[in-house]
Amino acid sequence: MSPLFEPVQTALGDALPLTEIDFVVVDLETTGGSPVDDGITEIGAVRFHGLERIGAFQSLVDPERPIPPYIAHLTGIDDRLVAGAPALPQILPSFLEFARGAVIVAHNATFDVGFLNANLLRLDYEVLPVPAICTAKLARRLVWPDVPNVKLQTLAAYFRTRTKPTHRALDDAEATGEVLQGLLDVGQHLGIQTLGELAHACSARGRPHYAKIALAQELPRAPGVYVFRDRADQILYVGKANDLRSRVKSYFYGDERKKVQDLVASVSRIEALTTGGELEALVLEIRLIAEHLPRFNAHGKRWRRFAYVKLDPLEAWPRLKIARSIDASDGATYLGPFASSGSATLAKEALEESFRIRRCTRAMGRRTRFAACALADMGRCQAPCDGRTDPDRYGAMVDELQAALRAPARLLRGLEARMHELAAQERFEEAALARDRVRALADILARMRIDRWLTAGRLVVAGPAGERLELAGGALVRRDGGLGAGGPIGAPAPRERADELSVVRSWVRRNRVRVLEADTAPAEPVDGGAELARLLGQIRAAEEPGAGRRRGRDRRARAPVPVPTRR
C-alpha cells in the first residue's frame, strides 16, 4: 500500500452515537457487473456528519475499455463522455482522502464496495474495512413490507427525497443519503442509536419480529438479569448479561435457531433486574429459573437428571448405590451431585474396581446367605453372601473406602496405573472406559473439596472489582440481607440447589478474590490434591481440539493419557 494514503477507517464501535459519526454515501457507475472484468465510469459520494450534509465528491472515470451500448443507454455515460477523463489510479487517492475516517454507506453495498475493494487491491491499497452500511439491507429490516421492494427508486419515493435517482453516480449518492436519513429516523424509534446497533441491524437475518427490538430500548447498559414475558405476563425466559440492552437486542438480529425465533415471536414485555456484579446476576438467574421454570430455559430442568453415589455404613453389608436425592440425617456418605446417573455410575464402577465391595442389589441382613456370583471367585468381592468374610473385615474395607475419598492419592494412582496397563496391552475400549471412570471420580472429588469449605458457614470475600460478597452455607446473601427461599445450600448440594452452588464455585475459581471473613478457613487436604490436579489437567488437555495433532502421530507414545485408537 502507498504510504501517502490510508484506507477509509470504518471500525464499528458499539457505543458510538450515530450523531457523532461521519458517513460517506458512495455510488458507482460501471461498465458491467464484474469487479474483475469491468471498470468504473463514475464515482459519486456525499459526506454527512450525523444527519448534516457537509460535502460532495464527483468525477467521471476513464474505464480504459469500451462502454457497452446498453450501459450507455441506461446511464447516459458513453465512450465520448469519458474521453479525456482521469483514470482510476488518478482519482482514487482523492476519493480516499474525501472518505478518510468515515463509515462507507451504499445502496446494495456488496456491489459498490466490491468494485472499490477489487480496484484497491489491484492498485496495491488495503481494502476497505468491513462492514459497510447497506441501505437496501437496512430497509428490509425497518420499512419492509410497507414498501413493495427495496430498490433505490422505491425508497426515494417512500421517503420523498429531494434528489431522484437517475443512474448517475452523484444523483444516486444524494438520493441514497436522503434514504439513509429516513432510515436512521425510523431506526431511532426502534432503539438504533449507536453505530454498533446500526451494523447489527444491517447484518440481521430475517425480520418478522425485528420491530420488537424497541422493547429493549429502555433497558440499562448495566450487568443484571433480563426476563422475557408473554402477553399473559408469564415468564418465558430468564438470562443474564454484562450489558443488558446489548444482549437483549442481539435476540432480534436474526438468530435462525427455531427456539430463539419462537421466543421472540412470543415476547411482549422485557424486564431488567440490575445487579451489583457478575456473581449476583448468575445467582439471581439460577434462582428465578428454579422458581418459575420458564419454558424456554432448558437448563432450568436439568437438575432432575442429577444423581449421587451413596454409601450407607449403617447397613449390615454396605454397598454403593445410585441415589436421586440426599438425606443429610441418614448418616450415609454421598458423592455428587453428578450431571447424570451415567456419570454417577462411572464413578461408582471406579470405586468398585478398587475395593472388593459387594455389587449385588439383593437386600442382606447379617445372616443372609445365598450362592456367590462370579466376582467372588475372581477375587473382586469379599462375598458376604456365602460367609467368606465377617462383619469386622468387611467393615474395615468400607472404612478404607471412605478414607480414600478424603485422601484419594493412592486410589487415583491405582486407577491411573490400571488405565495405562490396559492401553499398553492395546485393550483400547477397556482403557477408554477406565479413563472415563477415573475422570468422573476425580472430577467429583475435586469439586467436593471446594464445596466443603465454600459451604462451611459464613464466608465474606472481596471480588475482582472490590465488591463485597457474602456467602452463607454456599448461598449468596442478597443486598437486602436475605438468602432466598432455599436458605443455606450445604455440601453435598441438594440437586435442586446444585446449579446455584455450581455458579458460585465456578466464579470463585476463575476470579481473583480476597477473603475478608470466614467461619472456616478456605483450605483443602494436601493428600490427593496433586494427583487430582494432574489427572484432570491431563485428561482435559488430551480432549482439547487438535490435541492429537499437537502431540504428533504416535498418540500411544506421547499422549498424557494414552488411550490409543485401533489401527
Side-chain angles (χ1 to χ4, degrees):
M1 171 186 168
S2 168
L4 298 178
F5 304 103
E6 297 178 2
V8 181
Q9 301 301 306
T10 57
L12 296 173
D14 282 347
L16 291 175
L18 293 175
T19 55
E20 299 178 11
I21 301 301
D22 276 15
F23 298 98
V24 166
V25 182
V26 63
D27 187 81
L28 305 179
E29 301 303 330
T30 67
T31 61
S34 171
V36 176
D37 300 325
D38 295 304
I40 297 173
T41 60
E42 187 178 30
I43 299 177
V46 183
R47 188 169 182 126
F48 292 84
H49 179 72
L51 297 179
E52 180 186 358
R53 184 184 183 281
I54 59 175
F57 176 94
Q58 187 274 335
S59 177
L60 289 168
V61 181
D62 182 358
E64 300 178 323
R65 69 203 72 192
I67 299 175
Y70 74 93
I71 294 292
H73 177 74
L74 178 68
T75 64
I77 302 174
D78 56 20
D79 293 331
R80 288 182 300 174
L81 189 62
V82 298
L88 190 63
Q90 299 170 275
I91 293 296
L92 202 54
S94 298
F95 169 74
L96 291 176
E97 187 62 31
F98 176 79
R100 184 191 300 273
V103 175
I104 294 294
V105 180
H107 196 77
N108 190 10
T110 302
F111 177 85
D112 296 282
V113 174
F115 257 92
L116 286 172
N117 281 339
N119 285 279
L120 286 169
L121 285 173
R122 181 173 62 84
L123 297 173
D124 200 27
Y125 289 91
E126 291 184 4
V127 298
L128 301 175
V130 294
I133 301 301
C134 178
T135 50
K137 290 183 178 180
L138 192 59
R140 290 191 187 97
R141 310 295 175 263
L142 303 183
V143 297
W144 183 87
D146 294 339
V147 292
N149 56 61
V150 292
K151 294 178 180 179
L152 182 58
Q153 290 88 344
T154 304
L155 295 174
Y158 180 79
F159 287 110
R160 299 181 181 179
T161 62
R162 293 184 299 274
T163 305
K164 304 302 179 184
T166 62
H167 292 295
R168 291 300 299 269
L170 185 58
D171 284 348
D172 287 4
E174 294 276 13
T176 301
E178 293 183 58
V179 167
L180 175 67
Q181 292 176 319
L183 291 171
L184 293 181
D185 184 59
V186 173
Q188 185 175 17
H189 295 289
L190 296 176
I192 300 175
Q193 297 183 337
T194 68
L195 195 52
E197 291 166 348
L198 182 63
H200 283 307
C202 289
S203 62
R205 298 179 296 275
R207 86 162 293 287
H209 309 291
Y210 186 78
K212 289 186 178 181
I213 198 172
L215 295 173
Q217 181 54 28
E218 300 303 320
L219 300 184
R221 292 189 175 276
V225 171
Y226 54 91
V227 180
F228 281 43
R229 295 180 179 269
D230 62 14
R231 291 181 178 179
D233 215 35
Q234 295 296 308
I235 293 180
L236 298 170
Y237 184 79
V238 177
K240 63 184 179 302
N242 290 323
D243 183 329
L244 287 166
R245 186 191 301 177
S246 294
R247 178 68 185 98
V248 170
K249 283 187 173 184
S250 70
Y251 285 90
F252 302 93
Y253 292 145
D255 193 313
E256 295 178 347
R257 291 174 295 174
K258 184 178 185 304
K259 180 179 176 181
V260 175
Q261 290 295 318
D262 291 345
L263 171 63
V264 171
S266 302
V267 67
S268 292
R269 184 168 74 87
I270 302 172
E271 178 183 357
L273 304 170
T274 58
T275 60
E278 181 191 14
L279 179 59
E280 190 177 346
L282 289 165
V283 171
L284 180 57
E285 177 194 30
I286 290 294
R287 290 177 178 175
L288 287 173
I289 292 172
E291 179 182 354
H292 297 284
L293 297 177
R295 62 188 176 98
F296 286 97
N297 283 103
H299 79 273
K301 307 176 184 70
R302 67 183 183 182
W303 62 268
R304 297 171 181 170
R305 301 194 302 268
F306 292 172
Y308 303 82
V309 175
K310 177 182 179 181
L311 177 65
D312 187 355
L314 300 180
E315 291 181 346
W317 307 100
R319 67 182 182 90
L320 296 167
K321 308 173 185 177
I322 303 299
R324 286 293 182 180
S325 60
I326 63 173
D327 182 351
S329 64
D330 65 3
T333 296
Y334 291 92
L335 289 182
F338 294 86
S340 67
S341 58
S343 297
T345 300
L346 288 171
K348 171 177 171 286
E349 291 171 348
L351 294 171
E352 290 171 340
E353 287 292 314
S354 303
F355 295 92
R356 298 169 59 204
I357 194 167
R358 76 181 183 97
R359 307 184 196 185
C360 53
T361 58
R362 184 170 174 177
M364 290 184 65
R366 284 293 178 96
R367 293 182 173 81
T368 302
R369 295 291 182 267
F370 50 86
C373 64
L375 292 173
D377 296 332
M378 296 167 60
R380 296 170 64 181
C381 177
Q382 288 195 8
C385 54
D386 67 357
R388 298 188 196 187
T389 189
D390 57 58
D392 290 339
R393 286 177 55 203
Y394 195 87
M397 182 264 296
V398 172
D399 292 341
E400 184 182 350
L401 189 157
Q402 291 179 297
L405 298 178
R406 296 188 294 270
R410 182 179 176 185
L411 168 63
L412 294 173
R413 285 195 295 267
L415 291 168
E416 183 183 17
R418 177 59 177 163
M419 177 179 62
H420 283 271
E421 179 185 354
L422 291 168
Q425 296 172 3
E426 298 192 359
R427 295 161 63 179
F428 305 124
E429 289 80 6
E430 294 174 77
L433 179 58
R435 176 201 58 205
D436 294 342
R437 287 171 175 170
V438 72
R439 175 178 181 172
L441 181 61
D443 188 62
I444 199 65
L445 290 176
R447 283 194 279 123
M448 291 187 70
R449 284 181 161 222
I450 298 173
D451 291 352
R452 287 190 186 98
W453 60 259
L454 195 59
T455 61
R458 182 170 174 268
L459 176 66
V460 183
V461 300
E467 68 274 30
R468 187 179 188 274
L469 299 163
E470 181 178 346
L471 303 172
L476 182 67
V477 178
R478 297 195 307 252
R479 281 178 282 179
D480 62 6
L483 279 177
I489 299 174
R495 59 179 187 158
E496 63 272 13
R497 304 288 303 281
D499 280 336
E500 182 176 342
L501 184 59
S502 177
V503 298
V504 173
R505 182 197 314 117
S506 176
W507 183 87
V508 169
R509 293 180 68 176
R510 72 173 184 272
N511 288 285
R512 297 179 65 88
V513 299
R514 182 165 51 91
V515 177
L516 302 178
E517 302 175 39
D519 289 346
T520 300
E524 300 173 21
V526 173
D527 190 301
E531 282 76 9
L532 284 168
R534 179 180 56 80
L535 261 178
L536 290 173
Q538 288 179 350
I539 292 174
R540 289 164 183 163
E543 293 174 348
E544 289 179 358
R549 292 191 297 273
R550 289 196 301 270
R551 288 190 294 270
R553 285 185 172 183
D554 191 355
R555 300 181 66 187
R556 287 180 295 186
R558 306 174 70 177
V561 182
V563 181
T565 55
R566 187 182 299 278
R567 294 190 176 183

